[in-house]
Amino acid sequence: MALVEVKVPDIGDFDEVAVIELMVKVGDTIKAEQSLITVESDKAAMEIPSSTAGVVKELRVKLGDKVKQGSVVLVLEASGAVSVPAEVPAAAAPAAAPAVQSAPVAAPATDAAVSVTSSMVAATPAHNPGAPTLGLPHASPSVRKFARELGVPLEEVKGNGPKGRISQDDVQAFTKDVMAGATQTKAQAAKAPAGGDGAALGLIPWPKVDFAKFGPIERKEMGRIKKISGANLLRNAIMIPAVTNHDDADITELEAFRVSTNKENEKSGVKVTMLAFLIKACVAALKKYPEFNSSLDGDAIVYKNYWHIGFAADTPNGLMVPVIRDADKKGILQISQEMGELAKKARDGKLGPAEMTGATFTISSLGGIGGKYFTPIINAPEVAILGVCKSTQEPVWDGKQFVPRLMLPLSLTWDHRVIDGAAAARFNAYLGQILGDFRRVLL
């Protein structure tokens, strides 16, 4: 049997992600594609599978560790693999192909090496609740999942089961104590001196109210995605000097073209939405006004020569932002098809980190719901975001009379550190011209 290092595969544009769950321990026999660990970025959680079947000989990560593509997760004794001769130098060993998650490592050459390895494994048992090097709480996978959903730090929960095992009742009791103020998590304690209630900003304390004394209430914990996005939105809203321009675009002819296009392509199964046209129109406007397709990097502005457009998707778990990559190279039908596929993956909770990163500009559309104008929050490190609402028929003066026209409300929010008011007004006006006569995208 050969020893094989199982590594983290391509996880998108994230430099490092945190390990939030260990799903195997030393001595476990695992199958190919079996999940080994769960990692979490600021946008999503994902499980890292094994590309090789075998027996776990050594764990190389622990809870809270930061890993990235190529990080070694564990060492396996691979099933049915050919051993690597001990005398082969490490430099001569064949390298793993980029798409493969595991690479053979030289087998121990001496009994002493085997003894050292065995003692290391014995010193870090995978499921010992008292092992400080691993830190894995003594709880079942279902209890660990339950704690993650509630946002409970399991390592701070006292287990009342055999040998300190944590049960679901222990997690619920801990949650009730935190809600009642009887106990405080380490994260809460760390935030308290820094003025997590607004004191650090010179604000008066956040009001603490017993809402139950006014009437019946129901308390529900926020979902993980809302917690993560909420922290990002708060940071962006406070740190970015944002300004919003409101305007209207005449899309009468464009809507007629969209409807006829859908009739002609009815058999293809691809439904063209106004958002697909908006993405293409925004690319044209971003090319004409490149400061909107940039990011701040200290005292420098980074201008991007690629156009990846994010679009906000409403899902049962909260708002997610899939990204249409290289939108400048794609036609309306292809963009519409990709949007449909990405939106479905977002609703099903199957959107990967790589599909939500790299956007240079974002569109938040409330067109299917209603409203007139709103102020979207910029998705840092981008410097602008476009909000659109439901189009309505309005009387427009054509120089002789009022005629009914289909008008689309546009709300452009921009970072005043990078963009000034004149540029924003020109961007919105040019975007309206494109939507009014889509032939302009060819210019």
Side-chain angles (χ1 to χ4, degrees), residues 144-225:
R144 291 200 296 272
K145 180 181 179 183
F146 178 66
R148 281 203 316 276
E149 290 174 346
L150 293 180
V152 172
L154 205 55
E155 65 276 6
E156 299 179 32
V157 178
K158 180 181 178 181
N160 293 305
K163 297 182 179 180
R165 190 177 183 85
I166 301 171
S167 67
Q168 184 167 314
D169 291 338
D170 294 329
V171 175
Q172 290 175 328
F174 181 85
T175 304
K176 289 179 181 178
D177 287 344
V178 172
M179 290 169 59
T183 189
Q184 199 175 38
T185 66
K186 292 179 181 178
Q188 288 174 323
K191 287 182 180 179
D197 59 356
L201 300 176
L203 305 176
I204 61 174
W206 193 265
K208 295 182 179 180
V209 181
D210 180 11
F211 301 105
K213 71 181 182 181
F214 301 111
I217 66 170
E218 180 182 3
R219 185 183 180 93
K220 293 184 178 180
E221 293 297 319
M222 290 176 63
R224 181 180 55 82
I225 292 178

Side-chain angles (χ1 to χ4, degrees), residues 294-416:
S294 68
S295 286
L296 268 176
D297 185 14
D299 293 330
I301 299 176
V302 179
Y303 292 89
K304 302 158 193 172
N305 294 319
Y306 54 90
W307 293 267
H308 302 338
I309 309 299
F311 65 96
D314 189 20
T315 77
N317 297 320
L319 194 67
M320 305 185 80
V321 185
V323 178
I324 301 291
R325 310 185 88 80
D326 298 314
D328 59 311
K329 302 175 183 178
K330 297 171 181 175
I332 296 296
L333 292 177
Q334 185 178 356
I335 290 174
S336 297
Q337 183 176 0
E338 284 191 24
M339 282 175 50
E341 294 169 353
L342 289 170
K344 184 179 186 305
K345 291 177 73 173
R347 291 190 297 270
D348 295 341
K350 297 180 179 179
L351 207 59
E355 295 168 310
M356 293 186 289
T357 56
T360 59
F361 185 83
T362 297
I363 301 174
S364 179
S365 174
L366 303 178
I369 302 172
K372 187 66 175 175
Y373 303 104
F374 68 106
T375 304
I377 296 176
I378 297 170
N379 187 22
E382 299 162 37
V383 297
I385 182 172
L386 179 69
V388 294
C389 289
K390 189 175 183 178
S391 56
T392 57
Q393 290 283 352
E394 297 180 11
V396 177
W397 182 255
D398 68 356
K400 296 181 180 179
Q401 58 182 345
F402 284 103
V403 293
R405 306 292 292 179
L406 187 63
M407 307 301 292
L408 179 68
L410 304 175
S411 298
L412 178 70
T413 298
W414 39 278
D415 188 334
H416 212 331

